[in-house]
Amino acid sequence: MFKNIDAEQIIIGDNVVIEPSASIKGMNGKAKRILIGDNVYIGNDVQILCDEFEILDYSKLHHHTNFHGSRPLTIGYNCWIGQYSIIDCMGGTSIGNNCGIGAHSQLWSHIRFGDTLEGCQYKSEAPLQIGNDVWFVGHCIVSPITAEDKSMALAGSVVTKKMEYNKIYAGTPAVCISDKIGNQFEAKTIESKLEKMLGYLKEWGGDLKEIKIVTTSEEMNEGNTITYFNVNDRTYTKKQSKAEISFMKFLLPYRAKFVPLST
């Protein structure tokens, strides 16, 4: 058990690395619940001060990142959070799967400081909801907004309004510029995805008997030791074999991202 976690309920997966200088606890003492999935990395001097905190498989929190708040903070699969970033959950924060938050970014779910007795009007808390495949490139400041799946904010953006599906934003305040530069993602055929994944499998060069690339769920057999990767819905049959972990780490963070079939 890691000595730098202080919580009433602690659930930690396999192959987790938490650097000794990291600290994980609640806002004012013990956290209620800490859940850390398999193959998660939490770097040097990471500070997590959350009463309820969850982070899933293969996500990485790089050094000197800060997470704090009294409401739940959840981070999905395959997320990458760069150094010196701040993520607040006073209003509640959820981050989906496959998200990237570049270094020195700040994500906020509350505003509170001015003297309300004196008449300060700015005190609020609201949920910050980030979908799947969202990317804040770096040095972004984000208000309690909803960022829909595959949306993206370029470096230095100050995001104050909803980010729509697969749109790209930039500026202060950030505005959509997809009409000028396109979207973050372009449509790909299943055939092209299969061809690219087979190329990645060959490039990886590991035990090819343990990994199989498929295009339908019917081809995925959970009853054997092979790990199946479905390029159609981006799922895989999680077995935690050495070959599977090696291949997943080879794919992340920019080649391909998959989540376990049962999620």
Side-chain angles (χ1 to χ4, degrees):
M1 186 63 66
F2 294 96
K3 296 181 179 179
N4 48 356
I5 302 177
D6 188 12
E8 295 173 6
Q9 182 182 18
I10 302 172
I11 304 169
I12 300 180
D14 296 328
N15 306 314
V16 170
V17 174
I18 302 176
E19 299 293 354
S21 59
S23 177
I24 305 174
K25 57 185 179 180
M27 281 285 288
N28 298 292
K30 280 183 179 290
K32 294 178 182 177
R33 181 176 183 268
I34 301 294
L35 186 152
I36 300 173
D38 298 324
N39 308 296
V40 168
Y41 173 77
I42 298 177
N44 287 309
D45 297 300
V46 170
Q47 186 177 56
I48 299 171
L49 302 174
C50 298
D51 292 336
E52 296 182 58
F53 181 83
E54 176 179 303
I55 182 169
L56 300 181
D57 300 2
Y58 292 99
S59 288
K60 291 187 175 183
L61 311 180
H62 287 277
H63 64 84
H64 293 89
T65 48
N66 176 281
F67 307 82
H68 63 272
S70 54
R71 293 187 179 174
L73 195 163
T74 62
I75 301 172
Y77 294 93
N78 310 319
C79 292
W80 190 101
I81 299 176
Q83 58 266 32
Y84 294 99
S85 292
I86 298 172
I87 298 180
D88 154 74
C89 62
M90 293 300 292
T93 297
S94 63
I95 300 173
N97 303 322
N98 313 320
C99 291
I101 298 171
H104 296 268
S105 293
Q106 299 181 26
L107 280 60
W108 296 96
S109 64
H110 85 288
I111 178 172
R112 183 174 64 204
F113 176 75
D115 192 329
T116 54
L117 178 63
E118 191 63 18
C120 179
Q121 303 179 73
Y122 296 96
K123 178 183 179 297
S124 64
E125 299 175 354
L128 172 59
Q129 299 177 322
I130 299 171
N132 299 322
D133 298 289
V134 175
W135 186 10
F136 298 103
V137 174
H139 289 265
C140 293
I141 299 176
V142 183
S143 300
I145 54 107
T146 295
E148 294 184 346
D149 292 356
K150 299 185 177 181
S151 57
M152 176 182 181
L154 299 184
S157 297
V158 177
V159 184
T160 60
K161 295 183 179 180
K162 179 180 179 178
M163 296 169 59
E164 296 183 353
Y165 176 83
N166 202 23
K167 299 296 184 182
I168 297 178
Y169 296 79
T172 305
V175 296
C176 181
I177 60 170
S178 286
D179 58 337
K180 298 178 181 178
I181 67 171
N183 299 327
Q184 184 187 173
F185 289 83
E186 63 177 356
K188 293 291 185 180
T189 65
I190 298 302
E191 292 76 17
S192 68
K193 291 181 181 180
L194 177 61
E195 181 181 1
K196 180 165 283 192
M197 272 295 288
L198 291 173
Y200 287 154
L201 188 62
K202 183 178 179 180
E203 183 183 351
W204 167 61
D207 188 350
L208 301 183
K209 298 189 298 295
E210 296 294 319
I211 305 294
K212 186 173 181 180
I213 314 301
V214 300
T215 59
T216 66
S217 58
E218 288 75 18
E219 299 173 83
M220 302 170 79
N221 181 359
E222 295 190 79
N224 59 35
T225 60
I226 296 172
T227 299
Y228 295 84
F229 288 82
N230 185 348
V231 298
N232 188 26
D233 63 7
R234 302 169 74 193
T235 62
Y236 73 105
T237 54
K238 180 179 174 181
K239 303 295 174 63
Q240 280 288 84
S241 66
K242 290 182 179 179
E244 175 192 298
I245 294 170
S246 173
F247 188 49
M248 283 288 289
K249 289 183 175 181
F250 169 79
L251 293 175
L252 294 169
Y254 61 87
R255 291 185 177 92
K257 300 178 178 73
F258 290 81
V259 302
L261 178 61
S262 58
T263 62

